[in-house]
Amino acid sequence: MTTMRRAATRVDIAASTTLAITETPFSPLLASPVPAHDHHSHATGICLVRGADNAFCPPQPGDKRSPCPALNALSNHGFLPRDGRNIGPFKIYQALREGYNLSMILAFILAFGGWAILGQLRKVSLLDLSRHNCIEHDASLFHVDAHGKEEYAPIPASNSLMKSALYQGGRYSSGRMRLEDVANIRVKREAALEKPLRWWQAEIARGEMAVAIGVLGGKDADKKGLDLEVLRLWVTQERLPDDWEPDHTQGIFKTAKMATVIRDRMTAMQKGQMINILDNELTPIFSPTESLSVGI
Ligand code: HEM
């Protein structure tokens, strides 16, 4: 994978408890600028501006996106239809194989298992995946919870949650989000819930990050974690690094093992058998002003 950049997000301590994060643009080594273009249509599922290959193009007016950065990035790179519509589980299976090189079994479980949880028989748009309390759950790392009784959760990632996650990550390996970091952050997020997650939602939440770190972090990601800049690019722009090519096949056993690391540490912290290092510090409150999704 690409030469990884050190965390380019600067934390400036302005006053004793006031923190401001200044975002630096992505390095062109990680993500080259997208050539200027007018709004255009992806209605055929392909992008006539960027061509038929897997170049990045942000969503255009009318395109649909989900709360899942993995699927949105597949759509923004043309592994899934660029308009995010007319999608069935087999298309997702193929895209997970091509874009992230998941093993056949893992891709099958995620694609068809996801569909079973959604309870859909017909093709859907990515937006349909945001149906609250199906796959979508509270205490996501990068998305705010669904409001009140709303049926669908917000699609755009939250600027403040993303910044918090970047700030709280990288505690075990500089500039990298490791499984241990995810456990610390998830414990904090779940502790703030009024109603605990159902067990299977908690499993999904851990699994999402285990797969993300496993795929984007490379073949040693279970030990070394994922570059925070790649994570920032993936969540904020729903984009893969320029020279993206998976360096391994991410399989079901490795993923399950990684999710277990997160679960065991979370359980130990929740039972008071292990200290959460994030408890010993003041976590800054980041501005919730703008959301991060592009284009729609
Ligand atoms: C390579 C495979 C995948 C990876 C790495 C992945 C990763 C993620 C991550 C990290 C999130 C959490 C976003 C957040 O915390 O704000 C997420 C959310 C979500 N994903 Fe995926 N995902 C994958 C495949 C899928 C598939 C196949 C489906 C559906 C069929 C799906 C549906 C969702 C949904 C509905 C959410 C929102 C859940 C929430 O409330 O946080 N994902 N995914």
Side-chain angles (χ1 to χ4, degrees):
M1 201 159 90
T2 188
T3 308
M4 297 302 179
R5 313 295 304 168
R6 298 207 127 239
T9 301
R10 286 199 313 275
V11 179
D12 304 314
I13 302 184
S16 56
T17 57
T18 314
L19 288 163
I21 281 195
T22 315
E23 276 167 47
T24 51
F26 292 102
S27 153
L29 285 178
L30 191 63
S32 51
V34 178
H37 58 259
D38 292 334
H39 282 325
H40 54 278
S41 171
H42 287 159
T44 54
I46 58 171
C47 176
L48 297 175
V49 172
R50 297 289 272 158
D53 65 4
N54 297 115
F56 170 78
C57 184
Q60 299 299 311
D63 290 353
K64 302 289 186 194
R65 291 296 181 262
S66 74
C68 176
L71 298 182
N72 293 349
L74 289 175
S75 226
N76 292 342
H77 283 274
F79 293 104
L80 282 173
R82 301 251 185 194
D83 59 359
R85 295 164 187 261
N86 250 325
I87 294 175
F90 189 65
K91 213 169 253 179
I92 292 202
Y93 167 86
Q94 281 177 316
L96 292 176
R97 298 270 296 145
E98 282 171 29
Y100 296 124
N101 201 19
L102 297 192
S103 71
M104 284 163 63
I105 296 178
L106 183 56
F108 183 88
I109 291 174
L110 291 180
F112 287 87
W115 238 247
I117 296 174
L118 272 183
Q120 292 288 344
L121 296 175
R122 59 190 173 89
K123 291 184 174 170
V124 300
S125 82
L126 289 178
L127 182 67
D128 294 311
L129 296 178
S130 65
R131 188 135 185 244
H132 184 47
N133 274 337
C134 282
I135 307 171
E136 200 286 326
H137 53 78
D138 286 341
S140 304
L141 288 196
F142 315 116
H143 287 77
V144 294
D145 297 343
H147 305 293
K149 295 197 170 150
E150 275 180 15
E151 195 181 346
Y152 291 90
I155 298 292
S158 147
N159 195 30
S160 52
L161 286 181
M162 177 67 214
K163 285 178 176 171
S164 297
L166 289 176
Y167 176 81
Q168 293 173 324
R171 302 304 169 103
Y172 301 92
S173 301
S174 173
R176 300 188 75 84
M177 179 71 79
R178 288 204 358 204
L179 300 170
E180 293 85 346
D181 291 307
V182 174
N184 295 343
I185 302 169
R186 287 224 54 79
V187 166
K188 300 282 282 180
R189 296 280 291 121
E190 290 186 26
L193 287 176
E194 279 176 19
K195 207 168 135 207
L197 291 182
R198 298 169 195 165
W199 70 266
W200 53 271
Q201 291 180 320
E203 290 292 344
I204 288 176
R206 288 187 283 267
E208 287 163 352
M209 279 307 288
V211 186
I213 289 179
V215 169
L216 298 168
K219 56 181 182 309
D220 299 323
D222 51 338
K223 296 177 196 73
K224 295 186 177 163
L226 160 64
D227 187 289
L228 287 176
E229 276 300 273
V230 174
L231 179 62
R232 183 163 76 101
L233 180 75
W234 190 67
V235 173
T236 58
Q237 298 204 359
E238 301 181 327
R239 177 173 181 179
L240 296 165
D242 272 355
D243 58 354
W244 168 251
E245 207 179 319
D247 68 352
H248 69 294
T249 303
Q250 182 72 19
I252 181 78
F253 293 115
K254 189 166 187 187
T255 304
K257 225 169 131 186
M258 291 170 72
T260 304
V261 171
I262 303 176
R263 187 180 54 221
D264 289 350
R265 289 183 72 94
M266 286 184 70
T267 307
M269 283 184 261
Q270 283 157 343
K271 288 186 173 167
Q273 296 161 347
M274 183 187 274
I275 288 173
N276 186 347
I277 54 172
L278 299 179
D279 285 342
N280 296 331
E281 63 182 47
L282 279 173
T283 302
I285 296 168
F286 297 104
S287 155
T289 44
E290 79 276 35
S291 58
L292 292 168
S293 280
V294 278
I296 43 174

